[in-house]
Amino acid sequence: MIIGVGIDVAEIDRFAASMRRTPGMADRVFLERELLLPSGERRGYASLAARFAAKEAVAKALGAPGGLRWTDAEVYVEDSGQPRLRVRGTVAARAAELGVRSWHVSLSHDAGVASAMVIAEG
């Protein structure tokens, strides 16, 4: 049963400008492992913007309650390349309240825009 659906978009250049202008933003929004590719190199702004959009989409799928911590929703990639969500803390608590048992996430970026869609399933 679908409990919630969230979708979000982020303009990549605007997101990149925010990241450059606000040095602490990366640490407030992302876990260290989200900032890195499997090779250990730093992710590009397009990839990070898609992950940011996914975090916004998670909040929307949960009904956009206040008090969710950005780093309590982690976007990671399986060996197959499929993006996944790992939740903890404030996000896991809200998901448990709603009966969420699994997550589905899709990320994309093209033509200067990053997007994400998240489905919370119970």
Side-chain angles (χ1 to χ4, degrees):
M1 175 170 133
I2 294 176
I3 292 173
V5 176
I7 187 168
D8 196 69
V9 298
E11 184 182 346
I12 296 167
D13 287 344
R14 183 173 173 209
F15 176 80
S18 292
M19 291 280 288
R20 286 190 294 267
R21 187 176 55 250
T22 312
M25 182 178 168
D27 292 333
R28 282 194 311 274
V29 175
F30 300 107
L31 296 171
E32 181 65 28
R33 61 184 165 257
E34 289 179 294
L35 296 170
L36 303 174
L37 294 166
S39 66
E41 293 178 66
R42 187 125 171 132
R43 283 191 188 280
Y45 288 121
S47 179
L48 290 174
R51 281 155 176 74
F52 178 78
K55 292 170 184 257
E56 288 277 2
V58 165
K60 291 173 182 177
L62 294 175
L68 298 180
R69 292 188 54 209
W70 292 107
T71 54
D72 285 347
E74 175 188 357
V75 179
Y76 69 98
V77 179
E78 292 188 337
D79 290 340
S80 66
Q82 183 176 9
R84 294 282 189 194
L85 284 172
R86 185 177 294 128
V87 299
R88 64 184 61 75
T90 59
V91 176
R94 176 62 177 165
E97 276 178 33
L98 297 174
V100 176
R101 290 193 305 239
S102 63
W103 298 94
H104 307 274
V105 61
S106 181
L107 308 175
S108 186
H109 48 81
D110 188 29
V113 176
S115 63
M117 180 175 181
V118 170
I119 298 171
E121 185 177 12

